[in-house]
Each structure stands twice: as structure tokens, then as C-alpha cells.
Amino acid sequence: MTMSFANGLAALRPRIDAPVAAFLSSCVRCGLCAEACLFHTETGDPKYAPIMKLEPLRRLWSQEFTVMGRLGRALGLSKPMSDEDFARWEELVYDSCTLCGRCSLACPVGNDLTLMIRKLREGMVAAGHSPEGLRKAAHRALTDISPVGVGAQSARKLIAAQSREVGIPIEIDKHGADWLVLISSMEYIAFPEMLGALARLFKAAGQTWTIASDAYEATNVGVQIGSCDVARAIVARTVDAAHRLGVKGVVTPECGHAYQALRWEGPNLMGQAFDFEVIHLIDLLDRWRAEGRLKTKGKSGLRLTYHDPCQTSRRGGLDPQARRLLNLVAEDFVETSDPGPWNWCCGGGGGVSANPRARDLRFKVFAAKKRQLEAVRPDAVVTTCSNCRNVLEESLEHWGMELPVLSLTELVAEYLDEVPS
Amino acid sequence: MSDSPGLATLLRHHGIGRRDFLTFCAGLASALALPPVLAPKLAHALEAARRPSVIWLSFQECTGCTESLTRADQPSLEQIILSMVSLDYHHTLQAASGAAAEAARRQAMADNHGRYLVMADGSIPLGDPGYCTIGGMSSADLLAQTVAGAAAVIAVGSCAAFGGLAAAEPNPTGAVPISRLVTGKPVVNIPGCPPLPLAMTGVIAHFLAFGRLPELDSLGRPRVFYGETIHDRCPRRAFYDQGLFAKSFDDEGARQGWCLFQLGCKGPTTRNACATVKWNGGTSFPIGSGHPCLGCSQPSFWDAGGFYRPLSRPAGLGPGMAAAAVAAGAALGAVAASKRPSERQPVTLDDLETKS
Amino acid sequence: MSLLLWAKGPGFALAAVLFLLGTAMRLAEILRLGRGTDLARPRGAAGGQALRTVFSRFLPAPGLFARSPVVHAGGYVFHIGLLVVVIGYGPHLAVLGIGGRGLPAGLIDGVTLLTMAAMTALLAARLRDPVKRLISGPGDYGAWGLVFLPLATGFLLVNRVLLPFEPLLALHLLSVEVMLALLPFTKLVHAFTFVLARGYAGAIAGRKGAHS
């Protein structure tokens, strides 16, 4: 057992860099981060103020990396940190933060609080204070590839079934394909039609793709629980597969954290730049649209709105891409309030949806999204993250709302102009 | 105290008529903030007063204070003051010299023990007595010997009152004000470089007429002359309030007679009556002539941060000191924030096994 | 030595040394930690967005003004008011060695009162709002005092209230010196570090082509 308080501090220390110090030096305790956080706005509980969630990180930084903090500690003026601090903060750091990044965008002094929560989780997990649900998921991801237990055989069967459904072959481990495509956990277990949609889209675009038998899963629980060790092991699989199959690039699916994990954390976790491109599916589809590779016919007559996934829109900048694609196939597209960078989270990101303990809280804070949707009264809500999609469906059901949740990729595939054979 | 005729007789002897004397008394009553009805009483009291013996001691000084006093205006104030008192010893003014002068001093002290006034100008060199000796005596000894039998001591000028120029940094003589060395006797400070003649005569007249010294402030100055600041009564005050300042001695503001605060005027922190009494027979005073007040009647005015530097502007920091502070701070911060080796154990599968 | 002379001489020097030393120290603490090289291929320009974010965060976040009107309105009035008073008042310009006549005294008086009113509202909000009360410590209330005192003594000085000119000028200078000396060691240091914080946030998001 390597988890201990000391190990937690040891894992957290190297995460403290110049940006963290600049952020923590600049905080004026204005409290505006709380007003941007759905966990505070929907519960009214002051403990959910994002800056409060960072207290263990702030104290470690202050006590060990500042002149005054070190002086204060030497003089016994500040309370030394203890395991108890980590234990008490576990709920705040995991259950009540989806890493949605809204507070980071709202902070008047520019503090990226979300980045700091992500860093703090490194210390929390190393100290042994991470939620059981996430630990189980991480364990499964390391032993069975899929954090939700979709084994290689099951995946293969699901892929074959979808291939038959759309009448287009989906080749596994195809060497020399243009793209290695990752599929998210939720798509295997809840939205397998995504596989068929992908087959049709890639065929229409005239690009070859494949799924790797040993890296068929996009979800990176390591990034969610906040362990660079787990995250690296998961990224390594994809990197190895990309090299083994000699693909030009890797496509991350409709999933926010998977994109952040592979595209942005991936090379840094591996310690070297990738020699292949990593692109989010929506970014790729929009590129094809711009290149004229995506020909659609007709449009949906439904009144559609878009749920911006935090990691692709706010923290990914892919909100214009999504809207361009949506306008390709939607006749009556209506924006909710706070669209794009200022979207409200579904409540289940950042590992919260994999943390059963946080379920009631997640449903409660969905009220923010609910209000937005009720204000525009759409026929369906479209999104580009399978985790959002699943959380939206669950939460809408919880609140007794009848509202279909659609995948943008599937929607675009639906309106593809005659797939050439 | 000489058994000499009254002041009125002496004045007439000096060619000063009663009319002039009454005019002087009215002005003096006003300056002493006495009700106008008291002016005749003041005149009467002064006329009837017996002239006290005055011993004037000069230490580290420039004789400017004596100049100020003897160049006084009004109906020959010089004569009035010299008529009011029996000036028995004064380096500059007395005819006697050497041993005869010192003998006169000792005679006056013996004759008027407990009743004579000591007026002193200049500071006392405590650090090195050799800087100022009189008749072979150190300044401090001369002072101590002379004030022993005095009724009161009047420290004339900023040097006597506060140390003045000699006490300015680095104070090579170890100069101290008169009040530092006098105990058990009332000391009146009449600071100024030089002080207003009226302030000197006023204090003496008050002593003569009422037998006691006027009310003093915490620095031993008579409140009637030092109760207000130059700024309080400054004719340019309105410009200060409007924010209209001369920025140089030759700009439009200076020509328009705007406030001299930013040219270093010490009016706001200087307590004196120059703005109302004025100088040279009420002709003008420095600010009236376009020059900022130097604050010459304030303690340590030589070291008050520069005559032409605005009152509110701090002295500043040398570039060397500033650079040293920045370098020290940067080094301190860099050391505190330097990364130290921190052994981390990676998270293992075992760690992820469910535990309570 | 009078209080005023002390404030203008040794007091100012001490404050200036502490201010320079502390500010250099705090900036060194930050910069010394450095940043690892980001190995991910950029998708946007970090530098441009860093610069943009330094300025864009002066604007309120959408929807937040309505949720927190006192913090926003009070914050703007206080910060702008402070700036106007510090660099708009004639005698301040003279002290700072900048030319110019400065703004009319009446305007400065009004802005000072407005600034103090805004600060009072912000303090009240801090004491009343559960979030702000929870996240506030002695340092937050202390920093409030450090900024409020120079404003208050300055107002009294200009209007010659309570005390004569000299002690008020001394108190005003001293209050400014105490604020300067402690600025680097309190949250007031954000006056410098906010540029770094916003810049880093902008650079991190800019590299991803994300929002900041």
C-alpha cells in the first residue's frame, strides 16, 4: 500500500508550478467563482465555493513554497497539514466538482481553478482519499481496458452488430488506416448506434478507419480520478496501438474528458510529443465539412437545441464547429441561454457520473440545465459528449422531463447524402 | 532693578510722545489678543512698570535676532524696548568690553537676584564646548551661572529655541536649545530666523504689564503669536483650496500669485504670525513676495526635507538601496519557492482495490 | 523628529524598501516555480490569448453582474475611484513627479467619498454573504483597512477635518506607507500578480484554442 498522507503531499508538490502560484497569489476572495459554479448556485451551500475546494492545495503552496508561509510554519503560526484535511476535502474535490471550468472563466483575476482541482486530485488519490466508485472504475480500466466492464470480446460483438446494421464493414486492427478511432464507454453500453454512424461518415468522407482490439476505449478514468499513473497507462495503450497500426491520426469520440486526456494531457503524460495527430471527432467532421467531404441532404424539422459539453466547448473551443455542423442538418436550431463558453454543465463530468455517492447531488444541480432547457422548449437536445448524453438522459428522467437527447455525429450521419457504395 | 524713572519719562526723554506710545500699546494689545479696552490699561501698566534688568546672552548665533529687534519699526520700537528694560549686558550693544562687561553682568545678577530676565540667542555646544566660550567660560557654564538667579528665560530665535542651524545635521558642535539646559525656571521660546520683533516685545510687555509670561504651547511658544499656521492666514490660501499651484518661479501660476505649496512652501506646518503681522513695518512677508515659507520658526527646519521640496513629497530612495531591496526580495522568493526532492510512490492497482 | 518628518524620511524609506523587497519576493516565488514544457501540439496561439485575457477579464462575466451586483458595482467603483484619486489629484501628481494640474478638488472629493462608500458596501457584502464570510480571513479584513485608511486620512486632510494640517498629513503619509509596505505580503499583491494569473490562464487556454 503506497497511499499515505506523505505520498499525497509528494504527489501534489510537483503539480505546484508558476501558474498555480500566480493564481493563488492573486485570489482576493471576491467569491465570484461560487456564483459561476452550479454546485453553489443550485444548492446555496457556501462550502461549494470553488476556491474553498482548493484549500489543501493553497495551504501546501503557502506553507512550502512562499517565504511568509515557510516563516509562519517555522514559527508555528500555521497549522500543519494532516491526513484529516485530505479526508475532509474528498467530497468537495470529487463529488461537487465536474471540472466544468465555469469558475475558471468567471474569475476576475484569471485563476484557472479547474486546472488546480485537477492537480489537487493527484494529491488526493495518492493520499488514498478518492471516491470508491472512481477507484473501481480505474481498477477496471487498468485490468479490463473498459472502466465499465466492456471486455474486448463484447466490444468486438457490438462492433460487428453495428457493421451488419449499416452494411459497411468496420475493420478491427486494420494496419495503415487513416484514422484510429476511439469509442467511449457509454457508446458501447448505451449508444452503440454511434459505431454505425461512424462507419457511414468515414465512408462518405472517403477516409479509412479502424478500431484497435487493445485500445478500443476512449474514456480515461485516470484523468478523472486525478492519477497520472493510471492516466498514463491508459494513454500508452492508444499510443502503442497508433504506432502498431501505423495510422496518421487518432480520433477521440464524442466525449469531453477523453479529448482533454489524449489530446492535451497525453503527450505530457508520455513525456514526448506524439508523431500522429489527435483530433476530436467533431473537429474532424467540421474539417470534412469545410473540405466538402460531407454532403448532407435535407434537415431535421425538429426544434433542436445544443448542450455544450464543458470540455469540448468551454475548455476545448469546439463550440463553433458543433454549431456549423448542427446548422447543416437542423432547420430550427435554437440556442439556450449562456451558450458556448458559458454553458452550464450537465452535472456529471469530471468523474462525478462514475461516483455513485454523488448521484443525488448531481441530480440536484441539474436544475441549472433544466431551467435552460425549459426556457427554450426544444423537441430534442443535441450534444457531442456521450457522458453528457447519458447524464442528461438520467437527469431528465429524474426530473420527469420527456426530452430526447441526440448525438450530433449520429444526427449528421442521418442526413448524409446517398452514401456511395 | 535700577531705581530709574518710569517708562513714560524715559520715552519722553527719547523723544517719543504719549500719542505714539498709546498707538504702540493699542497695537501690542491687539497682538497679544487682549480686548481693545485693555489697551489703555496696558499703557498705564507699562508706564508705571519698573524696568527689569535684562541680561542678554549670545551663544552660537548670527546676531540676526538682535538685528531684527533693533531694526524694529513702529514708533522706534528699539527705543521702546530699550526703555522698557534695563539692558545690563549685551555683547553687541554694550559699550563695555572684556572684564568690565563680565563684571557688569555679575553686578546686575547680584543686584537683581530672582527678578532679572535672561534673554538668550544661539544654541549651546554641548558636544564640544570649545566652539563657543565667553570670557573663558563655556556657553553651558555661562548659561547655568546666569539663569540661576533669573525670574524667567526668553530663548530668542530658532537656534536658542530649537537648536537652529548649528543643530542641523550633522550637528558638529553638539548644539542643543536653551530649554534643554534650564530647569526650574520658566522658558519662553520665541523661534524664528529671525523672530518677529513684535513677538519679542510682546512677551516682554506682557511680563511687565501683568508680571507673568503669556500662555505657552507645548513647544514653549506664546500662543498669541504661534497659535496659527502661516497657511491658516495666507493670502494665497484660496488658490490652495482651488488646486491652483505655481509649478516654478517663473510660470504663469507664479505670475498669477497662485499657491506656492508645490514649490516647497512650509506654510501649512509653520506656526508663526508672519502672514498677519508681516515684516518691515507691515510691508510684506516671504509668501507675499512670491517665495515659499521656509518654516524657519519650526523645530529642525534645516532638516525638514529641503526648502523647495513639496511638504508632502517623501525623501525618496537611492537607486542603490532600491536595487538592493529588489535583489534581496528576488533571492528570498526564489529560495523559498525552489523545488525540493519529493519522493512519490506511483498509484498501483492494489491502491485502487476497494477499501473502506 | 516630528511624525511628519519621520513619515517623509525614514518612514518612507522603510516602506519603499519593504514594498520593493516584498514585491520582488512574491514575483520570484511565482516565477521560480516555472512551467513544464507543453508537449502537446498547439491548436491556437498562446501568446495572443494571454495578452487578450489580461484585458478581457476587466469585463464582467455574462450573468454574474446580476448574481453579484454589489461585488461588481462596488468593485468597479472602488478600483476606478482609487485610480482616479491616486493619479488624478494635483498634489499626488506633484509627489509622483508627474506634471499636470490634476482634476478639480471637488471632483476628487466626490470620487473619494464614492470610493469609500463602495468599499463600505463591499465590506458589508463580505460580512453578510455566506460564501464571502466563509472564505474570508483576517487578511481580507486587514487588507480592506490598509486601503481604506489612506482614503479616509486623505479626505480629512484635504478638508481639514478633526486635526490640523500637519498631523493629518503625517497620518496620511503613514497610512500610505503602511499600505505600501504590507501590499506585497497581503492579497493586495494581486495588483501585480493578476497580470501573471490572467496571462497564464490565457496562454493555457489559448494553446488549446479554448476560451479564456
Side-chain angles (χ1 to χ4, degrees), chain A residues 65-197:
Chain A
F65 297 95
T66 70
V67 174
M68 296 219 296
R70 293 181 69 177
L71 204 65
R73 206 168 63 136
L75 298 173
L77 298 176
S78 59
K79 205 172 106 216
M81 290 180 65
S82 70
D83 195 54
E84 174 70 6
D85 296 314
F86 279 141
R88 276 177 50 211
W89 253 263
E90 183 187 315
E91 188 231 338
L92 290 177
V93 174
Y94 285 101
D95 298 23
S96 66
C97 178
T98 61
L99 303 178
C100 87
R102 213 165 180 274
C103 53
S104 297
L105 209 52
C107 176
V109 292
N111 291 351
D112 192 343
L113 297 107
T114 313
L115 177 74
M116 292 194 280
I117 298 264
R118 164 71 186 88
K119 286 167 178 279
L120 176 51
R121 287 185 181 183
E122 289 283 344
M124 300 286 293
V125 67
H129 295 292
S130 54
E132 187 188 339
L134 274 171
R135 280 205 310 276
K136 280 180 171 170
H139 193 276
R140 277 194 301 269
L142 290 181
T143 51
D144 310 333
I145 297 183
S146 161
V148 293
V150 180
Q153 282 309 313
S154 311
R156 204 178 275 274
K157 278 180 192 164
L158 284 164
I159 294 164
Q162 278 296 313
S163 170
R164 275 196 305 279
E165 181 84 22
V166 295
I168 303 169
I170 303 175
E171 292 180 71
I172 300 203
D173 292 334
K174 178 185 166 70
H175 196 273
D178 296 330
W179 301 100
L180 170 64
V181 180
L182 305 180
I183 308 296
S184 81
S185 306
M186 280 304 140
E187 286 160 354
Y188 284 118
I189 61 171
F191 316 115
E193 307 79 24
M194 175 63 79
L195 290 157

Side-chain angles (χ1 to χ4, degrees), chain B residues 237 247 311 313-315 329 337, chain C residues 8 12 25 29 94 100-101 160:
Chain B
R237 171 61 183 271
K247 298 284 169 63
L311 256 182
R313 183 182 298 170
Chain C
K8 285 172 64 180
F12 176 80
M25 182 185 95
E29 278 173 5
R101 238 175 86 169
R160 222 58 58 72

Side-chain angles (χ1 to χ4, degrees), chain B residues 11-224:
Chain B
L11 286 172
R12 272 192 295 282
H13 179 72
H14 283 294
I16 297 169
R18 185 167 166 79
R19 183 185 186 85
D20 288 338
F21 178 67
L22 286 176
T23 308
F24 165 72
C25 287
L28 199 61
S30 157
L32 289 170
L34 301 172
V37 289
L38 281 185
K41 291 190 175 172
L42 180 69
H44 180 74
L46 284 179
E47 278 180 329
R50 285 149 59 90
R51 302 158 65 220
S53 168
V54 166
I55 297 173
W56 186 299
L57 301 175
S58 293
F59 302 110
Q60 296 189 127
E61 49 87 41
C62 68
T63 316
C65 296
T66 299
E67 287 285 330
S68 173
L69 185 61
T70 54
R71 294 293 164 84
D73 53 272
Q74 312 288 8
S76 310
L77 189 61
E78 171 206 3
Q79 292 169 318
I80 291 175
I81 186 82
L82 296 178
S83 306
M84 284 198 299
V85 301
S86 166
L87 190 55
D88 294 328
Y89 178 83
H90 189 301
H91 291 171
T92 312
L93 303 179
Q94 71 196 5
S97 64
E102 292 308 303
R105 176 174 66 83
R106 278 192 291 273
Q107 184 64 49
M109 285 166 60
D111 291 349
N112 304 293
H113 189 81
R115 297 191 301 268
Y116 62 90
L117 288 174
V118 171
M119 294 184 81
D121 61 348
S123 58
I124 310 293
L126 267 196
D128 183 346
Y131 276 103
C132 185
T133 60
I134 296 107
M137 283 178 85
S138 74
S139 298
D141 288 346
L142 179 62
L143 179 69
Q145 191 187 81
T146 312
V147 300
V153 181
I154 300 174
V156 175
S158 290
C159 295
F162 303 129
L165 175 62
E169 298 221 15
N171 191 359
T173 68
V176 296
I178 299 299
S179 57
R180 265 279 295 279
L181 300 177
V182 177
T183 48
K185 306 277 176 193
V187 178
V188 185
N189 285 330
I190 306 183
C193 191
L196 284 167
L198 189 65
M200 290 186 266
T201 52
V203 169
I204 295 169
H206 194 283
F207 184 74
L208 288 184
F210 304 110
R212 58 184 167 82
L213 294 166
E215 193 194 349
L216 306 180
D217 67 9
S218 60
L219 291 176
R221 302 174 294 196
R223 281 191 195 278
V224 286

Side-chain angles (χ1 to χ4, degrees), chain B residues 231 237 240-241 244 247 261-262 268-269 300 304 311-317 321-322 325-326 328-330 332-334 337-339, chain C residues 4-5 7-9 12-13 16-17 20-21 24-25 28-29 32-33 89-91 94-95 97 100-101 105 160 164-166 169 173:
Chain B
H231 188 66
R237 171 61 183 271
Y240 175 89
D241 292 337
L244 297 174
K247 298 284 169 63
F261 183 86
Q262 292 184 13
T269 56
S300 38
L311 256 182
S312 52
R313 183 182 298 170
L317 205 62
M321 193 68 175
V326 168
L332 216 56
S338 57
K339 298 241 179 186
Chain C
L4 176 62
L5 280 182
K8 285 172 64 180
F12 176 80
V17 164
L20 291 171
L21 186 140
M25 182 185 95
E29 278 173 5
R32 177 71 174 84
L33 286 166
Y89 183 48
V95 169
R101 238 175 86 169
R160 222 58 58 72
F165 183 91
E166 181 168 346
L169 178 59
L173 286 177

